[in-house]
Amino acid sequence: MVRIGVLGLQGAIREHIRSVEAVGAEGIVIKHKEQLDEIDGLILPGGESTTMRRLIDKYEFLEPLVNFGNQGKPIFGTCAGLILLANEIVGQENAHLKLMDMKVERNAFGRQRESFEAELVVKGVADDFEAVFIRAPYIVGVGPEVEVIATYKGNIVAAKQGHYLCSAFHPELTDDHRLTGHFIEMVEESQRPAATV
Amino acid sequence: MSKVGTDRVKRGMAEMQKGGVIMDVVNAEQAKIAEEAGAVAVMALERVPSDIRAAGGVARMADPTIVEEVMNAVSIPVMAKARIGHIVEARVLEAMGVDYIDESEVLTPADEVFHLNKRDYTVPFVCGCRNLGEAARRIGEGTAMLRTKGEPGTGNIVEAVRHMREVNAQVRKLVNMSVDEVMTYAKDLGAPYEVLLDIKENGRLPVVNFAAGGIATPADAALMMQLGADGVFVGSGIFKSDNPANFARAIVEATTHYEDYELIAKVSKGIGTAMKGLEISTIAPEQRMQDRGW
């Protein structure tokens, strides 16, 4: 059974753990950087990206998180987690982990009253995925290595780059665990001896 | 087809705030201090609760100029307070694009009988509660988030502790109850039966429950998290302390690591003096904010 960490600084942590357990993996809340050694894959949950970044800096998580990704260990970012993964953010000089070659815009769909749910096609995962968007970002541009796996009204809302996965919506807020399941498969894949990244 | 204002979208917004601190602010400058310190949201007000208490008179929704100023100053969500039962204040805040409305006992109630029908709105609401009956009634009306009432503007944690313990003890009692006892419990609490059944089935409240009303120090915030709060609201505790930026940062850290006592000791060192507190028994009964609403 693979061990999946959920970065536990702030946000929808419990829901991701529930989703990870629902697809038969072990879920661990990561509060200290030392715990990153104990896990095979990591989820960056939704929450407030500015708050998370402050706590990431405060507890010196930035470098260990980047190293975790560079070791070939899979990372899945949802909403705020997607923002953390991007190497460019509209209107901001600095990005965060810069692990995925994409440019993102925060709160791109608007404020809370514009938050919505919609059914999406997520390539390789589902044709009818119930996606919940909350003050969600979207991806405004991607590099050649990034595969777009879902769009909504022409905007990119989920993508994959090697062992990195991200979504602007919140799979953890529904009982549809197929996207989490897809991530667990990516983690299992990364553990097979042949799969060097 | 996309749908706005669904329960999932409204409750989900509050889920994203979990483990975080929501801070009361009265202008753009304070909002920026809060955001910089790591607040997950700010509550835009005309006066913080301790000043409302001191000023007396009727407390109303903030001047929209202040709310707008705060919305323009930060990228984190902005909440604002409407009076209990004041349909138009709530609609005005919704029209302005506020991210969350607090139907709040800190303001003077506009209706002494009816709370808002919060299901009617696209914007989500947070409401105060002192016990499971109150929590379940607000959920029945469509609130997407709860918070303890505590006693706002006092810097005294005792009421928030009482309310958090009461709600959680009653949830535990309900969960362990036999189903045939639930209707009588609903009658005793004045709570909607279906809401109680749902809580019993899931083993917890269907919405997040933050602590509010009297949090003044990092240790207070951590205490509320240990008692089972999903996050905390800090009203007067930050901008009535003598070093708001220090207090804001320290309270954020203590909330994240509420079980790490060495860290709480460290962040509590040399941050300045907390707001002056108020003993609850010195407050005249008609001045108690927690008794507003039902």
Side-chain angles (χ1 to χ4, degrees):
Chain A
M1 187 161 70
V2 291
R3 291 157 68 93
I4 306 297
V6 178
L7 186 66
L9 297 175
Q10 192 271 316
I13 301 154
R14 178 175 70 200
E15 289 70 19
H16 272 297
I17 295 281
R18 187 183 60 102
S19 188
V20 163
E21 288 171 350
V23 291
E26 186 183 347
I28 300 165
V29 177
I30 306 294
K31 284 212 159 197
H32 303 281
K33 59 187 177 196
E34 294 74 22
Q35 292 174 278
L36 291 173
D37 298 333
E38 304 165 15
I39 54 171
D40 309 309
L42 177 70
I43 293 175
L44 304 171
E48 282 307 317
S49 62
T50 43
T51 305
M52 280 191 219
R53 176 55 196 266
R54 222 201 88 69
L55 294 168
I56 283 172
D57 287 347
K58 187 77 201 175
Y59 305 119
E60 294 162 350
F61 252 112
L62 194 72
E63 211 186 302
L65 288 173
V66 172
N67 289 341
F68 185 87
N70 286 338
Q71 285 165 29
K73 293 192 177 172
I75 303 181
F76 176 22
T78 61
C79 197
L82 169 149
I83 295 165
L84 293 178
L85 284 171
N87 64 4
E88 209 181 336
I89 302 168
V90 174
Q92 285 181 215
E93 270 179 36
N94 295 311
H96 308 292
L97 303 177
K98 302 180 193 167
L99 291 171
M100 289 185 74
D101 187 13
M102 59 187 190
K103 185 175 182 177
V104 303
E105 182 167 356
R106 295 181 59 204
N107 305 335
F109 288 104
R111 304 194 72 98
Q112 173 59 20
R113 66 176 171 189
E114 279 88 39
S115 295
F116 63 98
E117 44 184 282
E119 212 173 86
L120 292 185
V121 176
V122 183
K123 210 170 126 192
V125 178
D127 293 333
D128 55 350
F129 197 87
E130 278 180 69
V132 181
F133 292 83
I134 295 171
R135 285 171 49 93
Y138 59 65
I139 302 166
V140 294
V142 295
E145 310 275 289
V146 178
E147 183 195 0
V148 172
I149 58 170
T151 59
Y152 177 73
K153 292 190 175 167
N155 304 303
I156 306 169
V157 292
K160 205 169 154 179
Q161 179 181 357
H163 56 296
Y164 301 126
L165 176 70
C166 65
S167 70
F169 49 88
H170 294 278
E172 76 281 10
L173 290 182
T174 70
D175 291 323
D176 190 337
H177 303 297
R178 287 177 289 181
L179 193 56
T180 307
H182 181 73
F183 177 64
I184 304 300
E185 281 168 24
M186 287 169 61
V187 176
E188 285 164 353
E189 185 68 28
S190 76
Q191 291 194 316
R192 291 194 189 110
T196 47
V197 179
Chain B
M1 267 306 286
S2 73
K3 289 173 283 183
V4 297
T6 62
D7 275 352
R8 268 208 301 229
V9 163
K10 294 203 264 191
R11 292 174 179 181
M13 160 73 197
E15 301 283 351
M16 296 309 137
Q17 304 269 297
K18 273 189 310 197
V21 183
I22 299 168
M23 302 182 190
D24 278 4
V25 300
V26 300
N27 55 41
E29 183 201 353
Q30 289 188 354
K32 282 183 180 145
I33 291 172
E35 183 176 46
E36 180 55 32
V40 290
V42 290
M43 176 79 71
L45 293 156
E46 208 156 303
R47 288 191 290 248
V48 296
S50 66
D51 286 340
I52 289 176
R53 198 176 275 290
V58 174
R60 311 178 180 93
M61 173 185 83
D63 179 338
T65 319
I66 293 173
V67 179
E68 218 169 70
E69 180 190 320
V70 170
M71 285 169 65
N72 291 333
V74 294
S75 66
I76 55 177
V78 175
M79 303 186 171
K81 290 183 194 290
R83 281 181 267 179
I84 291 173
H86 204 307
I87 299 164
V88 174
E89 282 189 354
R91 286 293 183 196
V92 167
L93 292 172
E94 181 180 52
M96 289 178 66
V98 161
D99 295 299
Y100 236 92
I101 297 177
D102 185 0
E103 187 184 19
S104 179
E105 68 282 1
V106 168
L107 306 181
T108 311
D111 193 320
E112 289 188 328
V113 182
F114 303 111
H115 283 254
L116 294 168
N117 175 18
K118 293 164 277 286
R119 293 185 188 281
D120 262 5
Y121 297 73
T122 303
V123 65
F125 280 82
V126 54
C127 287
C129 63
R130 290 166 299 179
N131 51 53
L132 181 58
E134 224 169 10
R137 290 191 289 276
R138 299 295 86 77
I139 293 165
E141 292 156 359
T143 197
M145 181 182 194
L146 291 164
R147 54 170 175 75
T148 59
K149 285 182 166 176
E151 189 54 42
T154 60
N156 189 338
I157 197 70
V158 67
E159 296 302 304
V161 167
R162 187 192 320 281
H163 301 159
M164 188 56 72
R165 281 198 182 275
E166 182 72 8
V167 170
N168 290 340
Q170 289 177 321
V171 168
R172 282 193 299 270
K173 184 176 172 192
L174 170 65
V175 169
N176 291 317
M177 209 170 252
S178 138
V179 177
D180 48 19
E181 295 167 343
V182 175
M183 184 58 88
T184 299
Y185 199 43
K187 175 189 138 212
D188 293 345
L189 293 175
Y193 177 65
E194 286 72 18
V195 172
L196 292 194
L197 274 187
D198 175 65
I199 295 169
K200 178 169 174 52
E201 241 167 64
N202 293 299
R204 60 180 183 85
L205 295 167
V207 300
V208 301
N209 187 17
F210 273 45
I215 294 160
T217 66
D220 285 349
L223 168 64
M224 295 314 299
M225 293 299 286
Q226 276 193 20
L227 292 176
D230 289 310
V232 298
F233 282 86
V234 186
S236 321
I238 289 172
F239 290 98
K240 287 289 160 186
S241 70
D242 64 21
N243 190 329
N246 279 351
F247 265 81
R249 276 196 299 266
I251 290 176
V252 168
E253 282 193 58
T255 304
T256 307
H257 289 290
Y258 59 90
E259 286 174 318
D260 186 339
Y261 308 115
E262 281 172 22
L263 182 137
I264 297 170
K266 205 174 93 197
V267 303
S268 304
K269 269 184 210 160
I271 53 174
T273 310
M275 71 177 283
K276 191 176 177 326
L278 201 60
E279 164 55 36
I280 304 294
S281 61
T282 64
I283 306 169
E286 66 275 12
Q287 302 293 327
R288 280 160 57 100
M289 293 174 174
Q290 60 175 284
D291 297 330
R292 297 167 170 176
W294 63 282

